Amino acid sequence: MIQVLRDIPARRIILGITGGIAAYKAAELTRLLIKQGTHVQVAMTEAACHFITPTTMQALSGHPVLTNLWISNQGINNQGNGSQESDNQSYNSDDGMLHIHASRTTDAIVIAPASADFIAKLAHGLADDLLSTLCLARNCPLIVAPAMNRQMWENTATQRNIQQLISDGVILLGPDSGSQACGEEGMGRMQEAAHLARDIQAFLQPKLLPKLLTDTHILLTAGPTYEAIDAVRGITNRSSGKMGYAVAQAALELGAKVTLISGPTALSAPQGAKLIQVTSAADMLQAVQQQVADADIFIGVAAVADYRATQTSTQKIKKGATKLSLDLLPNPDILGYVASLPKPPFCVGFAAESHDLIKHAHEKRLIKNIPLIVANLAQQAIGADDNELILIDHAGEHVLPRADKLTLARDLLKHIVALRHSLTHPIKVRA
Ligand code: PMT
């Protein structure tokens, strides 16, 4: 557990609880956050009150709970309990503007659990109760921990809403996969309270994380490339950039300087990363060549198109009655280029395969002559929010079980730090 340092100011969050069986986990989350030194103001939807009572949450947080948009002065009086006394601060809600004031002195709003219905509201900017109004009127980051049945999670509408939240810059924590209250098995469980508390603290108090990558420049590629055929058509793939952006986020958390070279995606770059947007593999190679000189670690997460059209047309090619053949040229191998530099950074590749995953990934690691390759099943990894990784290095295979991409990225970086250290500081065995 990360320790709270005395000289770091307490952080303030609004913990929004929505209706779902996972609401009981919000009680433990509140306890853990307060223990970590976070000031927690709870706000609950009407549905949430059917699952856990405001009295319980008031007792745990030490403050009256916000439930109603129409009652001014309903609570945030911050009489405080012992641990939160120093944070006492009154929100003036006499003017009926509680939904505006509440987020102004808050470092983040965390919705845990976030039901499918509430996620839909957020995605569409609806504000018909206190919590959704608080979210729409906020001027602070929004963190969302989804919790729902697996079919609800997989439903196209929910996935569309989640994509919307991600592109709106909302931070998504989870969900996890596992057994569900309804008896089914799959994605949709809210992350455990301890896991959420750790991630929320990492977000609020980045100074508390061990800075394993201070003074380290990580250069990484993410997303697809787009190889034009004519003015309107091209060759690309379904990489969303989520895995690469998660690696960039995790590297920043560990104190690295991050340069993210990204093909076309709908994502916002993590705050603090230097983003270089490119389109084609040739552009990506050129950007890598310009940035690689002082890179300590290079991570190729991008799904670079293997081929491009030999000839491109600046105009739209007109449809004809006869057969049309496309002549393709192989693209330059960006990771191969970096790995073969006279003084290469520590190189990590990714391999997305549809079959014989381990075999192909082993071969790629040897052909590219890199210390570590990260294997994932293409059909499960591309575009998804969660993934499963197999890290392959000289010592063998190491599985990172299914989890959201940010959790995997954090574990991957810890592995990279340890492997890089062990390869540059080998243990000397006495003869
Ligand atoms: O973006 P997401 O939707 O989150 O999906 C993530 C992902 C599935 C794209 C990612 O996890 C992944 O596996 N990326 C590598 C995709 C791939 O199949 O790469 P590859 O097998 O073609 O190439 C192997 C390695 O060489 C990769 O590190 C790649 O970045 C690199 N490469 C490949 C070709 C090329 N011309 N230049 C390269 O640098």
Side-chain angles (χ1 to χ4, degrees), residues 7 19 95 111 139 182 190 203 235 248 265 267 336 356 383-384 398 413 426:
D7 58 346
D95 57 4
I111 310 293
N139 65 347
C182 53
M190 186 168 94
F203 178 80
I235 303 167
T265 74
L267 304 177
D356 294 332
H398 178 78
L413 279 169

Side-chain angles (χ1 to χ4, degrees), residues 239-241 243 300-302 332 334-335 350 352 364 368 376 383 405:
S239 166
S240 62
M243 191 69 236
V301 196
I334 301 166
L335 176 58
F350 268 68
K364 270 186 190 163
K368 304 229 181 202
N376 50 188
K405 286 181 175 173

Side-chain angles (χ1 to χ4, degrees), residues 123-193:
H124 291 87
L126 296 180
D128 61 355
D129 63 3
L130 180 62
L131 187 56
S132 53
T133 314
L134 273 172
C135 291
L136 196 63
R138 77 186 187 279
N139 65 347
C140 62
L142 179 61
I143 300 174
V144 165
M148 66 197 76
N149 163 270
R150 70 178 176 93
Q151 296 285 13
M152 290 169 91
W153 174 253
E154 285 163 16
N155 190 292
T156 319
T158 305
Q159 287 306 309
R160 198 169 50 230
N161 293 333
I162 288 288
Q163 294 314 319
Q164 185 60 52
L165 294 194
I166 291 171
S167 52
D168 291 346
V170 173
I171 297 149
L172 208 65
L173 298 180
D176 275 349
S177 177
S179 58
Q180 305 200 310
C182 53
E184 294 183 3
E185 190 88 21
M187 284 299 286
R189 273 171 66 93
M190 186 168 94
Q191 287 189 334
E192 292 307 322

